[in-house]
Amino acid sequence: MKRGFTLAEVLITLGIIGIVAALTIPTLISNYQEKQTVTRVKEAYTLLNSAVQMAVVEHGPINTWLTGAITDDGELNYKTFSPMLFEKIIPYLKTVFTCTGILECRPYAYTYGNLTGKAASMWILRYTGAKLLNGTYIQIQSTGSCTSQYETQNACGTIRIDVNGPNPPNQTGRDIFLFAINNEGYVLPYKFNPQRCNLTDSLYVNGNACTEWVILKGNLNYLKCDGLSLTGKDTCD
């Protein structure tokens, strides 16, 4: 005689499946989101490097783009040079929209925070911004010269990317990442620095120095524990 499952057995089985799903699905979703973030950061790195290099081939070293931008007013320097930097680079990127200046960029502005969630600034507002075809937002800023120190090199500007635009979490080191541009036109990920990429510091710059880790390690392990190193401990086990 054939015997099926009783109602109690079916309910117990479904309950076990539900418990296992509740335990594993959040981890699967988190892993997927992490991989998507890493992919977007690396893709942006490639696209931006290519765009800036092509702009340098056409227009020469970046410090030669400064004509008319240098004044005695430091505030004016970045306001005038950022659009000049932006307008030479942006033709080499496929975009959905672009904007320069407060009025034009204001519709795309939103607040973002540091790695721990402390509010830091307004995205795009006052600077120059664009949305790429893949949904990544970019913001280009310069101080008006190529003398700002980036490690041992002089940087001409900063490119800030948000891999999912206005969607949360809008935090540096989580979905917002920083790159520097040097005079020769190379885009450089902000160097990994545990003092500016950790789970506890409330300083607004915390999260700025996570980009190199993502590029080199291909993960966001610094979101799981502190004490990591590019040349030493790189997992939280």
Side-chain angles (χ1 to χ4, degrees), residues 2-28:
K2 293 183 179 180
R3 181 178 180 276
F5 294 106
T6 66
L7 178 59
E9 290 172 332
V10 172
L11 292 176
I12 291 172
T13 302
L14 291 176
I16 293 172
I17 293 173
I19 292 171
V20 172
L23 293 173
T24 58
I25 288 178
T27 300
L28 292 174

PDB file of all heavy atoms in Angstrom, residues 2-28:
ATOM      1  N   LYS A   2       0.587   2.203  -0.924  1.00  0.00           N
ATOM      2  CA  LYS A   2       1.345   3.432  -1.005  1.00  0.00           C
ATOM      3  C   LYS A   2       0.951   4.366   0.127  1.00  0.00           C
ATOM      4  O   LYS A   2      -0.215   4.524   0.440  1.00  0.00           O
ATOM      5  CB  LYS A   2       1.093   4.103  -2.354  1.00  0.00           C
ATOM      6  CG  LYS A   2       1.663   3.317  -3.538  1.00  0.00           C
ATOM      7  CD  LYS A   2       1.451   4.071  -4.826  1.00  0.00           C
ATOM      8  CE  LYS A   2       2.033   3.312  -6.006  1.00  0.00           C
ATOM      9  NZ  LYS A   2       1.853   4.022  -7.279  1.00  0.00           N
ATOM     10  N   ARG A   3       1.951   4.999   0.709  1.00  0.00           N
ATOM     11  CA  ARG A   3       1.685   5.902   1.819  1.00  0.00           C
ATOM     12  C   ARG A   3       2.326   7.256   1.534  1.00  0.00           C
ATOM     13  O   ARG A   3       3.510   7.346   1.227  1.00  0.00           O
ATOM     14  CB  ARG A   3       2.251   5.306   3.115  1.00  0.00           C
ATOM     15  CG  ARG A   3       2.007   6.170   4.347  1.00  0.00           C
ATOM     16  CD  ARG A   3       2.550   5.477   5.576  1.00  0.00           C
ATOM     17  NE  ARG A   3       2.350   6.266   6.766  1.00  0.00           N
ATOM     18  CZ  ARG A   3       3.157   7.237   7.181  1.00  0.00           C
ATOM     19  NH1 ARG A   3       4.236   7.519   6.448  1.00  0.00           N
ATOM     20  NH2 ARG A   3       2.901   7.913   8.281  1.00  0.00           N
ATOM     21  N   GLY A   4       1.555   8.348   1.591  1.00  0.00           N
ATOM     22  CA  GLY A   4       2.096   9.689   1.365  1.00  0.00           C
ATOM     23  C   GLY A   4       2.555  10.310   2.668  1.00  0.00           C
ATOM     24  O   GLY A   4       2.510   9.693   3.740  1.00  0.00           O
ATOM     25  N   PHE A   5       2.988  11.573   2.560  1.00  0.00           N
ATOM     26  CA  PHE A   5       3.398  12.314   3.740  1.00  0.00           C
ATOM     27  C   PHE A   5       2.184  12.826   4.491  1.00  0.00           C
ATOM     28  O   PHE A   5       1.181  13.220   3.897  1.00  0.00           O
ATOM     29  CB  PHE A   5       4.287  13.499   3.336  1.00  0.00           C
ATOM     30  CG  PHE A   5       5.604  13.086   2.750  1.00  0.00           C
ATOM     31  CD1 PHE A   5       5.842  13.192   1.391  1.00  0.00           C
ATOM     32  CD2 PHE A   5       6.609  12.580   3.570  1.00  0.00           C
ATOM     33  CE1 PHE A   5       7.055  12.827   0.858  1.00  0.00           C
ATOM     34  CE2 PHE A   5       7.829  12.200   3.041  1.00  0.00           C
ATOM     35  CZ  PHE A   5       8.055  12.317   1.676  1.00  0.00           C
ATOM     36  N   THR A   6       2.296  12.846   5.775  1.00  0.00           N
ATOM     37  CA  THR A   6       1.217  13.436   6.570  1.00  0.00           C
ATOM     38  C   THR A   6       1.334  14.953   6.536  1.00  0.00           C
ATOM     39  O   THR A   6       2.370  15.521   6.189  1.00  0.00           O
ATOM     40  CB  THR A   6       1.301  12.962   8.031  1.00  0.00           C
ATOM     41  OG1 THR A   6       2.497  13.490   8.620  1.00  0.00           O
ATOM     42  CG2 THR A   6       1.315  11.442   8.113  1.00  0.00           C
ATOM     43  N   LEU A   7       0.247  15.622   6.905  1.00  0.00           N
ATOM     44  CA  LEU A   7       0.243  17.091   6.938  1.00  0.00           C
ATOM     45  C   LEU A   7       1.323  17.613   7.881  1.00  0.00           C
ATOM     46  O   LEU A   7       2.017  18.590   7.582  1.00  0.00           O
ATOM     47  CB  LEU A   7      -1.134  17.594   7.384  1.00  0.00           C
ATOM     48  CG  LEU A   7      -1.275  19.114   7.511  1.00  0.00           C
ATOM     49  CD1 LEU A   7      -0.985  19.799   6.178  1.00  0.00           C
ATOM     50  CD2 LEU A   7      -2.683  19.472   8.002  1.00  0.00           C
ATOM     51  N   ALA A   8       1.482  16.935   9.008  1.00  0.00           N
ATOM     52  CA  ALA A   8       2.482  17.362   9.988  1.00  0.00           C
ATOM     53  C   ALA A   8       3.885  17.285   9.394  1.00  0.00           C
ATOM     54  O   ALA A   8       4.719  18.192   9.599  1.00  0.00           O
ATOM     55  CB  ALA A   8       2.384  16.507  11.239  1.00  0.00           C
ATOM     56  N   GLU A   9       4.159  16.207   8.652  1.00  0.00           N
ATOM     57  CA  GLU A   9       5.482  16.050   8.050  1.00  0.00           C
ATOM     58  C   GLU A   9       5.740  17.130   7.003  1.00  0.00           C
ATOM     59  O   GLU A   9       6.845  17.671   6.917  1.00  0.00           O
ATOM     60  CB  GLU A   9       5.591  14.658   7.413  1.00  0.00           C
ATOM     61  CG  GLU A   9       5.652  13.525   8.438  1.00  0.00           C
ATOM     62  CD  GLU A   9       5.555  12.159   7.807  1.00  0.00           C
ATOM     63  OE1 GLU A   9       4.921  12.048   6.725  1.00  0.00           O
ATOM     64  OE2 GLU A   9       6.104  11.197   8.378  1.00  0.00           O
ATOM     65  N   VAL A  10       4.710  17.436   6.203  1.00  0.00           N
ATOM     66  CA  VAL A  10       4.853  18.490   5.185  1.00  0.00           C
ATOM     67  C   VAL A  10       5.133  19.836   5.841  1.00  0.00           C
ATOM     68  O   VAL A  10       6.010  20.599   5.419  1.00  0.00           O
ATOM     69  CB  VAL A  10       3.586  18.570   4.310  1.00  0.00           C
ATOM     70  CG1 VAL A  10       3.658  19.796   3.389  1.00  0.00           C
ATOM     71  CG2 VAL A  10       3.432  17.300   3.479  1.00  0.00           C
ATOM     72  N   LEU A  11       4.381  20.140   6.912  1.00  0.00           N
ATOM     73  CA  LEU A  11       4.559  21.419   7.599  1.00  0.00           C
ATOM     74  C   LEU A  11       5.940  21.523   8.231  1.00  0.00           C
ATOM     75  O   LEU A  11       6.565  22.590   8.209  1.00  0.00           O
ATOM     76  CB  LEU A  11       3.471  21.594   8.655  1.00  0.00           C
ATOM     77  CG  LEU A  11       2.038  21.791   8.118  1.00  0.00           C
ATOM     78  CD1 LEU A  11       1.049  21.859   9.264  1.00  0.00           C
ATOM     79  CD2 LEU A  11       1.964  23.051   7.263  1.00  0.00           C
ATOM     80  N   ILE A  12       6.406  20.421   8.803  1.00  0.00           N
ATOM     81  CA  ILE A  12       7.753  20.423   9.406  1.00  0.00           C
ATOM     82  C   ILE A  12       8.821  20.667   8.345  1.00  0.00           C
ATOM     83  O   ILE A  12       9.752  21.459   8.531  1.00  0.00           O
ATOM     84  CB  ILE A  12       8.006  19.095  10.138  1.00  0.00           C
ATOM     85  CG1 ILE A  12       7.120  19.003  11.386  1.00  0.00           C
ATOM     86  CG2 ILE A  12       9.479  18.975  10.522  1.00  0.00           C
ATOM     87  CD1 ILE A  12       7.178  17.660  12.054  1.00  0.00           C
ATOM     88  N   THR A  13       8.660  19.985   7.185  1.00  0.00           N
ATOM     89  CA  THR A  13       9.616  20.162   6.092  1.00  0.00           C
ATOM     90  C   THR A  13       9.627  21.599   5.591  1.00  0.00           C
ATOM     91  O   THR A  13      10.689  22.200   5.377  1.00  0.00           O
ATOM     92  CB  THR A  13       9.281  19.209   4.932  1.00  0.00           C
ATOM     93  OG1 THR A  13       9.296  17.860   5.406  1.00  0.00           O
ATOM     94  CG2 THR A  13      10.274  19.373   3.791  1.00  0.00           C
ATOM     95  N   LEU A  14       8.432  22.175   5.409  1.00  0.00           N
ATOM     96  CA  LEU A  14       8.340  23.565   4.952  1.00  0.00           C
ATOM     97  C   LEU A  14       8.946  24.517   5.972  1.00  0.00           C
ATOM     98  O   LEU A  14       9.583  25.512   5.619  1.00  0.00           O
ATOM     99  CB  LEU A  14       6.882  23.933   4.683  1.00  0.00           C
ATOM    100  CG  LEU A  14       6.215  23.247   3.487  1.00  0.00           C
ATOM    101  CD1 LEU A  14       4.734  23.626   3.410  1.00  0.00           C
ATOM    102  CD2 LEU A  14       6.931  23.636   2.193  1.00  0.00           C
ATOM    103  N   GLY A  15       8.737  24.194   7.237  1.00  0.00           N
ATOM    104  CA  GLY A  15       9.313  25.030   8.293  1.00  0.00           C
ATOM    105  C   GLY A  15      10.827  25.020   8.257  1.00  0.00           C
ATOM    106  O   GLY A  15      11.473  26.068   8.409  1.00  0.00           O
ATOM    107  N   ILE A  16      11.402  23.840   8.036  1.00  0.00           N
ATOM    108  CA  ILE A  16      12.867  23.724   7.948  1.00  0.00           C
ATOM    109  C   ILE A  16      13.389  24.501   6.743  1.00  0.00           C
ATOM    110  O   ILE A  16      14.390  25.228   6.831  1.00  0.00           O
ATOM    111  CB  ILE A  16      13.280  22.248   7.872  1.00  0.00           C
ATOM    112  CG1 ILE A  16      12.959  21.540   9.189  1.00  0.00           C
ATOM    113  CG2 ILE A  16      14.778  22.124   7.554  1.00  0.00           C
ATOM    114  CD1 ILE A  16      13.159  20.042   9.140  1.00  0.00           C
ATOM    115  N   ILE A  17      12.695  24.345   5.614  1.00  0.00           N
ATOM    116  CA  ILE A  17      13.099  25.079   4.404  1.00  0.00           C
ATOM    117  C   ILE A  17      13.041  26.580   4.657  1.00  0.00           C
ATOM    118  O   ILE A  17      13.933  27.344   4.253  1.00  0.00           O
ATOM    119  CB  ILE A  17      12.203  24.698   3.212  1.00  0.00           C
ATOM    120  CG1 ILE A  17      12.444  23.235   2.813  1.00  0.00           C
ATOM    121  CG2 ILE A  17      12.462  25.626   2.023  1.00  0.00           C
ATOM    122  CD1 ILE A  17      11.494  22.723   1.754  1.00  0.00           C
ATOM    123  N   GLY A  18      11.991  27.024   5.341  1.00  0.00           N
ATOM    124  CA  GLY A  18      11.846  28.443   5.636  1.00  0.00           C
ATOM    125  C   GLY A  18      12.968  28.962   6.521  1.00  0.00           C
ATOM    126  O   GLY A  18      13.489  30.065   6.297  1.00  0.00           O
ATOM    127  N   ILE A  19      13.344  28.179   7.521  1.00  0.00           N
ATOM    128  CA  ILE A  19      14.431  28.591   8.419  1.00  0.00           C
ATOM    129  C   ILE A  19      15.749  28.686   7.657  1.00  0.00           C
ATOM    130  O   ILE A  19      16.502  29.656   7.806  1.00  0.00           O
ATOM    131  CB  ILE A  19      14.554  27.604   9.594  1.00  0.00           C
ATOM    132  CG1 ILE A  19      13.318  27.701  10.502  1.00  0.00           C
ATOM    133  CG2 ILE A  19      15.822  27.868  10.395  1.00  0.00           C
ATOM    134  CD1 ILE A  19      13.255  26.627  11.563  1.00  0.00           C
ATOM    135  N   VAL A  20      16.027  27.670   6.834  1.00  0.00           N
ATOM    136  CA  VAL A  20      17.267  27.674   6.053  1.00  0.00           C
ATOM    137  C   VAL A  20      17.288  28.872   5.104  1.00  0.00           C
ATOM    138  O   VAL A  20      18.322  29.557   4.958  1.00  0.00           O
ATOM    139  CB  VAL A  20      17.422  26.358   5.265  1.00  0.00           C
ATOM    140  CG1 VAL A  20      18.613  26.439   4.305  1.00  0.00           C
ATOM    141  CG2 VAL A  20      17.595  25.190   6.215  1.00  0.00           C
ATOM    142  N   ALA A  21      16.151  29.154   4.463  1.00  0.00           N
ATOM    143  CA  ALA A  21      16.079  30.290   3.535  1.00  0.00           C
ATOM    144  C   ALA A  21      16.309  31.610   4.263  1.00  0.00           C
ATOM    145  O   ALA A  21      17.016  32.489   3.777  1.00  0.00           O
ATOM    146  CB  ALA A  21      14.724  30.305   2.826  1.00  0.00           C
ATOM    147  N   ALA A  22      15.699  31.736   5.449  1.00  0.00           N
ATOM    148  CA  ALA A  22      15.859  32.969   6.223  1.00  0.00           C
ATOM    149  C   ALA A  22      17.305  33.198   6.625  1.00  0.00           C
ATOM    150  O   ALA A  22      17.757  34.341   6.754  1.00  0.00           O
ATOM    151  CB  ALA A  22      14.971  32.911   7.463  1.00  0.00           C
ATOM    152  N   LEU A  23      18.038  32.111   6.831  1.00  0.00           N
ATOM    153  CA  LEU A  23      19.433  32.230   7.238  1.00  0.00           C
ATOM    154  C   LEU A  23      20.374  32.481   6.068  1.00  0.00           C
ATOM    155  O   LEU A  23      21.402  33.150   6.219  1.00  0.00           O
ATOM    156  CB  LEU A  23      19.874  30.956   7.970  1.00  0.00           C
ATOM    157  CG  LEU A  23      19.209  30.685   9.332  1.00  0.00           C
ATOM    158  CD1 LEU A  23      19.621  29.311   9.847  1.00  0.00           C
ATOM    159  CD2 LEU A  23      19.580  31.766  10.341  1.00  0.00           C
ATOM    160  N   THR A  24      20.047  31.951   4.898  1.00  0.00           N
ATOM    161  CA  THR A  24      20.974  32.006   3.770  1.00  0.00           C
ATOM    162  C   THR A  24      20.678  33.117   2.768  1.00  0.00           C
ATOM    163  O   THR A  24      21.615  33.672   2.181  1.00  0.00           O
ATOM    164  CB  THR A  24      20.979  30.668   3.011  1.00  0.00           C
ATOM    165  OG1 THR A  24      19.641  30.370   2.545  1.00  0.00           O
ATOM    166  CG2 THR A  24      21.465  29.547   3.900  1.00  0.00           C
ATOM    167  N   ILE A  25      19.397  33.459   2.558  1.00  0.00           N
ATOM    168  CA  ILE A  25      19.052  34.451   1.532  1.00  0.00           C
ATOM    169  C   ILE A  25      19.688  35.812   1.796  1.00  0.00           C
ATOM    170  O   ILE A  25      20.246  36.425   0.874  1.00  0.00           O
ATOM    171  CB  ILE A  25      17.527  34.563   1.372  1.00  0.00           C
ATOM    172  CG1 ILE A  25      16.988  33.308   0.674  1.00  0.00           C
ATOM    173  CG2 ILE A  25      17.154  35.805   0.564  1.00  0.00           C
ATOM    174  CD1 ILE A  25      15.486  33.284   0.498  1.00  0.00           C
ATOM    175  N   PRO A  26      19.651  36.347   3.038  1.00  0.00           N
ATOM    176  CA  PRO A  26      20.315  37.644   3.263  1.00  0.00           C
ATOM    177  C   PRO A  26      21.798  37.618   2.910  1.00  0.00           C
ATOM    178  O   PRO A  26      22.330  38.591   2.366  1.00  0.00           O
ATOM    179  CB  PRO A  26      20.101  37.885   4.766  1.00  0.00           C
ATOM    180  CG  PRO A  26      18.865  37.114   5.095  1.00  0.00           C
ATOM    181  CD  PRO A  26      18.951  35.894   4.248  1.00  0.00           C
ATOM    182  N   THR A  27      22.471  36.495   3.207  1.00  0.00           N
ATOM    183  CA  THR A  27      23.889  36.376   2.874  1.00  0.00           C
ATOM    184  C   THR A  27      24.089  36.347   1.367  1.00  0.00           C
ATOM    185  O   THR A  27      25.006  36.991   0.832  1.00  0.00           O
ATOM    186  CB  THR A  27      24.479  35.092   3.493  1.00  0.00           C
ATOM    187  OG1 THR A  27      24.337  35.157   4.916  1.00  0.00           O
ATOM    188  CG2 THR A  27      25.948  34.948   3.145  1.00  0.00           C
ATOM    189  N   LEU A  28      23.220  35.613   0.664  1.00  0.00           N
ATOM    190  CA  LEU A  28      23.316  35.548  -0.791  1.00  0.00           C
ATOM    191  C   LEU A  28      23.096  36.919  -1.408  1.00  0.00           C
ATOM    192  O   LEU A  28      23.811  37.318  -2.341  1.00  0.00           O
ATOM    193  CB  LEU A  28      22.292  34.544  -1.337  1.00  0.00           C
ATOM    194  CG  LEU A  28      22.532  33.072  -0.998  1.00  0.00           C
ATOM    195  CD1 LEU A  28      21.368  32.214  -1.488  1.00  0.00           C
ATOM    196  CD2 LEU A  28      23.844  32.585  -1.605  1.00  0.00           C
TER     197      LEU A  28
END
